[in-house]
Amino acid sequence: MMDPEVLDRITARRAELDGLEEQLTKQLAEVRTERDELAAAERVLQRLSEQIADEQAKAGSPVVQVAGRAVRLVPDREPGVAESALPAEYQRILTAVRQAAGPVAVRQIGEVLGLDTGVRGKLEPLRGKLTKLADRGWLHKRPDGRFTARR
């Protein structure tokens, strides 16, 4: 014969476990849904990354958006790309380097361009432009930090 108290405990524990099972089933469904959403987001991110990499590879360097179009402000120096393709400010910098007697420092170019060379903050943007011209093949940056024109 079964003890009614033990039977009540078994019934209560079964109900408790049934409730726990229902709760865990619901949590598992939520976890699976979130995991599927993350997988979809990961695929979208991968596609976008590939598209951006393709666009950058075609352009040769990062691009900017102008009037909804991807445009490079400073193109790579390649056969068929004229110096006139550079923005006017970059053309002035390139001309100043070419007119120098030899390798020039950023400060020297700043003086030629009429910048206040006594203020370091005025030279840093110029240094960035010179470096960009060197990175794109228009200038050569020497190990000592000075620049020369490429022939």
Side-chain angles (χ1 to χ4, degrees):
M1 175 149 175
M2 293 243 185
D3 183 3
E5 187 178 320
V6 172
L7 196 54
D8 287 344
R9 285 184 178 186
I10 291 173
T11 304
R13 181 65 179 154
R14 182 181 311 271
E16 186 179 319
L17 291 175
D18 287 344
L20 184 58
E21 179 184 25
E22 185 178 317
Q23 182 183 9
L24 290 173
T25 301
K26 182 179 177 183
Q27 282 182 329
L28 181 59
E30 290 171 358
V31 166
R32 287 180 174 157
T33 299
E34 185 175 350
R35 188 183 59 203
D36 291 344
E37 289 171 353
L38 287 173
E42 193 174 34
R43 286 191 302 271
V44 169
L45 180 61
Q46 180 65 33
R47 279 191 222 123
L48 287 174
S49 296
E50 289 170 0
Q51 287 175 350
I52 290 169
D54 287 345
E55 289 173 6
Q56 289 179 342
K58 288 177 188 173
S61 64
V63 297
V64 294
Q65 293 291 324
V66 176
R69 289 186 28 215
V71 178
R72 296 198 54 227
L73 294 179
V74 179
D76 288 325
R77 182 179 181 200
E78 298 174 340
V81 177
E83 203 173 295
S84 60
L86 294 170
E89 188 172 359
Y90 286 86
Q91 289 179 33
R92 286 182 54 223
I93 293 168
L94 194 55
T95 301
V97 173
R98 283 204 176 115
Q99 290 175 348
V104 290
V106 175
R107 183 175 304 280
Q108 292 170 287
I109 297 301
E111 290 169 356
V112 170
L113 297 175
L115 298 176
D116 182 4
T117 58
V119 180
R120 181 176 173 89
K122 299 286 183 176
L123 292 178
E124 289 309 311
L126 177 59
R127 184 182 316 282
K129 290 174 184 169
L130 284 160
T131 300
K132 186 179 287 187
L133 285 168
D135 290 346
R136 306 278 167 80
W138 294 97
L139 295 175
H140 173 69
K141 184 175 183 180
R142 297 167 36 116
D144 63 1
R146 296 187 298 166
F147 294 86
T148 57
R150 291 194 184 264
R151 302 285 173 201

